[in-house]
Amino acid sequence: MSQRLVTLSTRGFTLVELLVVIGIIGILVGLLLPAVQAARESGRRTGCVNHLKQLGLAIHNFESQHGRLPRAGTNGESYEDLSILHLGGKHSWIVLLLPFIEDQPLYDQFDLTKPANEQATNPQSPQLPQLMCASDDVEGREFEETDCPLCIGTMYAKGNYAA
């Protein structure tokens, strides 16, 4: 009797071939990842530039309506009072621009006759997306008043743009 040898012919990849393909894919992903990150950062930068443009337009609209530019902030009734930090409203320049950046409801919550730390609904504490640049991790950071004994515990939202 003659025995017949049966050979099995399998089609597939060897372990070495599979590792080479995985290595090549890894290199390609490694080359592509910085380009994707650069595109994301470019998009974030474009958003920041757009926020600055919107703030510039709001300042121009404020000037058109009031005949002057908004003050950087309010501490007292006159410019001489600016050196006394605990006088006046302590309202930021952005409060005056809220109606011009399409945030009239938040502006309506401010009582401009009262200091910022005595507002009934704490309208100074929410962060506005228009004031945050996506490239920075400012979201969630706040400023707590510590200089004024009557103001301790008052929280103020932070943003990326200042005047």
Side-chain angles (χ1 to χ4, degrees):
M1 273 182 92
S2 73
Q3 283 187 328
R4 236 163 81 183
L5 290 174
V6 177
T7 60
L8 296 174
S9 174
T10 60
R11 300 189 75 174
F13 297 107
T14 65
L15 182 60
V16 172
E17 291 170 331
L18 188 61
L19 290 175
V20 167
V21 169
I22 290 173
I24 291 171
I25 291 172
I27 291 171
L28 291 174
V29 167
L31 292 173
L32 188 62
L33 193 59
V36 170
Q37 293 294 344
R40 285 183 180 166
E41 183 57 31
S42 177
R44 289 187 204 113
R45 187 173 51 249
T46 301
C48 294
V49 169
N50 185 46
H51 288 160
L52 286 172
K53 179 182 175 186
Q54 295 301 320
L55 286 173
L57 289 171
I59 290 170
H60 282 286
N61 288 335
F62 181 93
E63 192 276 332
S64 293
Q65 185 172 347
H66 297 283
R68 63 179 172 81
L69 294 174
R71 293 173 67 174
T74 61
N75 278 341
E77 296 301 319
S78 68
Y79 285 104
E80 290 79 29
D81 293 336
L82 291 177
S83 62
I84 305 171
L85 294 177
H86 304 300
L87 276 182
K90 298 178 91 171
H91 297 289
S92 168
W93 61 279
I94 196 62
V95 173
L96 301 174
L97 291 182
L98 286 173
F100 302 98
I101 58 172
E102 299 180 3
D103 213 339
Q104 183 70 39
L106 184 59
Y107 179 78
D108 292 339
Q109 291 180 28
F110 278 96
D111 181 358
L112 297 179
T113 63
K114 292 183 179 179
N117 61 335
E118 294 177 10
Q119 299 293 315
T121 60
N122 291 325
Q124 76 282 353
S125 61
Q127 284 190 318
L128 302 176
Q130 304 96 315
L131 299 177
M132 293 187 290
C133 186
S135 296
D136 190 14
D137 61 345
V138 73
E139 190 169 347
R141 289 190 288 172
E142 294 178 323
F143 169 74
E144 182 176 357
E145 181 74 55
T146 57
D147 292 336
C148 168
L150 300 174
C151 313
I152 292 178
T154 303
M155 302 301 280
Y156 298 91
K158 284 185 149 184
N160 290 111
Y161 310 112

